[in-house]
Amino acid sequence: MTIGFLALFVLFPIGLIYGGISGYFGGKIDIIMMRFAEAVMSIPSFYLLIILAALLPANMTSTQRFTLIIVILAFIGWAGFARVVRGMVLSIKNQEFVESARSIGASSFRIIVKHILPQTASYVLVAMTLSVPGYILGESGLSFLGLGIQQPDASWGNMLKEAQEYINILYRPWLLTPGFLIFVAVLSFNLILNVQLFSAVT
């Protein structure tokens, strides 16, 4: 679960700033930045995740592998978030409070960070909640395939790997516990998301 949260701290600042700059300046800058983001989005994320993880040196320590998996997860997830933020910025940048900030001489960076991006906070909270389950499943999948966190360090994925064989499940059914915990964690985050959406509507 830690990987999911740490990946968010890397991913969301990148997506916010990238999408904010693209939407605010528009024109050629927006076209170039969005075409790059779309190129990243067009790559199948889980397959890219497997390829990048498989390229990691086998002699890496668990701490180094842990850090690089966080970077990889952030790399494959920022583009979609940046695209949505860009769309929101396009609708916000022409509002009166932004025009007022421009009229008093505020810099573009200050307008983006202080006046525009905070208006996207409601979406950011929902997107953060929605992203964590995907990162948990991504890391668990990598560890299950032997490309993520390696034993003796614990991960739900590498713990569940021992349950691949039918004979192990038959005589040691508790090996399925990590799979149940993954299910509970993902379900919990989705329930939190539903509560957030219901609160926003009401």
Side-chain angles (χ1 to χ4, degrees):
M1 289 181 65
T2 308
I3 279 187
F5 288 107
L6 292 179
L8 288 180
F9 286 116
V10 178
L11 155 70
F12 276 86
I14 295 173
L16 274 173
I17 298 299
Y18 191 95
I21 291 173
S22 177
Y24 181 79
F25 288 104
K28 292 182 179 179
I29 294 176
D30 179 40
I31 293 173
I32 293 171
M33 293 179 72
M34 282 300 102
R35 295 301 82 77
F36 176 73
E38 288 167 2
V40 174
M41 290 170 60
S42 67
I43 303 172
S45 58
F46 189 69
Y47 296 110
L48 176 62
L49 188 61
I50 291 175
I51 292 169
L52 293 176
L55 294 176
L56 299 181
N59 59 349
M60 293 181 66
T61 65
S62 291
T63 303
Q64 291 172 329
R65 185 172 288 272
F66 181 85
T67 303
L68 285 176
I69 287 175
I70 291 172
V71 173
I72 291 171
L73 287 170
F75 173 75
I76 65 175
W78 67 268
F81 177 67
R83 184 175 175 83
V84 177
V85 170
R86 173 253 187 187
M88 297 179 71
V89 171
L90 285 174
S91 64
I92 294 171
K93 69 177 184 178
N94 293 322
Q95 294 188 15
E96 292 181 358
F97 66 92
V98 177
E99 297 292 340
S100 299
R102 288 196 193 101
S103 67
I104 61 174
S107 65
S108 297
F109 183 78
R110 180 179 175 83
I111 293 172
I112 294 170
V113 173
K114 191 170 180 62
H115 299 285
I116 295 180
L117 293 183
Q119 302 301 314
T120 66
S122 59
Y123 167 75
V124 168
L125 292 175
V126 173
M128 288 179 69
T129 307
L130 189 61
S131 297
V132 173
Y135 293 138
I136 292 174
L137 291 173
E139 188 281 324
S140 298
L142 286 180
S143 297
F144 181 79
L145 295 172
L147 300 173
I149 306 301
Q150 305 292 322
Q151 294 183 356
D153 293 314
S155 165
W156 282 338
N158 64 28
M159 293 166 67
L160 191 60
K161 187 177 181 180
E162 296 185 26
Q164 289 185 84
E165 299 180 12
Y166 173 75
I167 195 69
N168 284 343
I169 299 175
L170 189 62
Y171 291 103
R172 295 186 292 169
W174 57 85
L175 291 176
L176 293 174
T177 303
F180 175 73
L181 293 175
I182 293 172
F183 168 76
V184 171
V186 172
L187 179 63
S188 298
F189 279 104
N190 286 330
L191 289 176
I192 292 172
L193 174 62
N194 288 333
V195 170
Q196 287 180 337
L197 291 175
F198 179 77
S199 300
V201 171
T202 56

